[in-house]
């Protein structure tokens, strides 16, 4: 019943009606891009890029700051990793985590770059999807409280995958789990830390 109510609220939401929310969302997107570009030359980002190139696949999605197209899954993984790599990305109080790294990475991976027959993507539709994802993640973060975090879980991973991956009514449904789904906040080593996204 609660799930049905949540999806009805999402379906009937009008996220672009509030100018302050739109301004904050644009700032979040700019922060995501800036954090990503700052990390693009880091050794671990380059290592992940080489792994993706070796893996290959059907090129259909973009990478922030890099020219090759990659698979949607690879784009979600890489863009989220890169956005959170230096830990400069946004933090949201209700989320108790970094929402843009997961939400924007999932949304960007679903832009139909190689499928012109899909519905037209507009900036407004993308922005609305991002705002909805943030709102859902924030409400879920408030609902579970800080006990989740105190037990060792990180909301960026446990809430973010679902909000970026499934909290969007504007793109075609994604078939992959969110990057970092179900991760904890106590990974071993700096490189593992980045996979919180």
């Amino acid at each position: 019943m609660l799930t049905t109510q949540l999806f009805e609220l999402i379906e009937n939401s009008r996220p672009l009606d509030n100018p302050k929310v739109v301004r904050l969302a644009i700032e979040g997107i700019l922060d995501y891009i800036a954090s990503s570009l700052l990390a693009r030359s880091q050794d671990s980002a380059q290592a992940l890029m080489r792994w993706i190139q070796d893996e290959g696949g059907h090129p259909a999605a973009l990478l922030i700051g890099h020219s090759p197209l990659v698979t949607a899954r690879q784009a979600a993984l890489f863009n989220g990793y890169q956005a959170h790599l230096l830990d400069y990305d946004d933090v949201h109080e209700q989320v108790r985590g970094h929402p843009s790294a997961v939400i924007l990475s999932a949304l960007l991976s679903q832009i139909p770059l190689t499928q012109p027959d899909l519905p037209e993507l507009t900036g407004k539709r993308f922005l609305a999807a991002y705002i909805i994802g943030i709102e859902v993640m924030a409400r879920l973060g408030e609902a579970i409280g800080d006990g989740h975090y105190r037990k060792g879980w990180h909301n960026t991973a446990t809430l973010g995958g679902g909000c970026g991956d499934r909290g969007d009514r504007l793109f075609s449904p994604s078939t992959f789990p969110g990057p970092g789904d179900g991760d904890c906040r106590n990974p071993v080593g700096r490189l593992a830390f980045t996979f919180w996204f």
Side-chain angles (χ1 to χ4, degrees):
M1 176 146 219
L2 290 175
T3 303
T4 302
Q5 289 175 342
L6 174 63
F7 280 100
E8 285 174 1
L9 288 170
I10 291 169
E11 188 63 34
N12 296 315
S13 67
R14 298 176 59 155
L16 302 179
D17 286 354
N18 185 328
K20 180 180 178 185
V21 169
V22 171
R23 181 182 54 79
L24 291 171
I26 291 169
E27 288 176 11
I29 292 170
L30 292 174
D31 178 81
Y32 170 87
I33 292 169
S35 296
S36 297
L37 292 176
L38 192 58
R40 69 179 253 181
S41 62
Q42 296 292 309
D43 290 343
S44 62
Q46 294 300 313
L48 182 56
M49 173 66 79
R50 287 189 298 276
W51 177 82
I52 287 170
Q53 290 171 336
D54 288 346
E55 183 181 53
H58 178 69
L62 61 89
L63 298 176
I64 302 295
H66 302 274
S67 58
L69 293 180
V70 298
T71 70
R73 289 183 178 119
Q74 292 165 340
L77 173 68
F78 183 86
N79 287 332
Y81 181 83
Q82 183 174 257
H84 187 60
L85 180 59
L86 299 176
D87 202 19
Y88 294 156
D89 53 326
D90 63 345
V91 176
H92 193 287
E93 185 177 341
Q94 285 81 25
V95 169
R96 292 177 186 86
H98 310 274
S100 294
V102 284
I103 293 170
L104 287 173
S105 297
L107 292 176
L108 286 170
S109 75
Q110 296 303 298
I111 295 175
L113 298 176
T114 60
Q115 299 172 331
D117 56 329
L118 292 177
E120 180 183 348
L121 172 66
T122 66
K124 287 182 178 181
R125 289 176 71 191
F126 185 88
L127 194 59
Y130 172 54
I131 293 168
I132 290 168
I134 295 281
E135 184 69 17
V136 170
M137 194 173 174
R139 296 296 164 240
L140 291 174
E142 287 178 327
I144 66 169
D146 66 350
H148 184 66
Y149 184 81
R150 284 184 287 147
K151 290 178 182 175
W153 297 99
H154 197 286
N155 290 357
T156 301
T158 58
L159 300 179
C163 295
D165 186 37
R166 296 167 201 92
D168 163 36
R169 63 186 157 104
L170 304 172
F171 296 103
S172 48
S174 174
T175 58
F176 60 93
D181 265 355
D183 215 345
C184 67
R185 66 178 175 90
N186 295 314
V188 178
R190 177 70 181 121
L191 294 180
F193 162 81
T194 308
F195 281 103
W196 280 358
F197 68 83

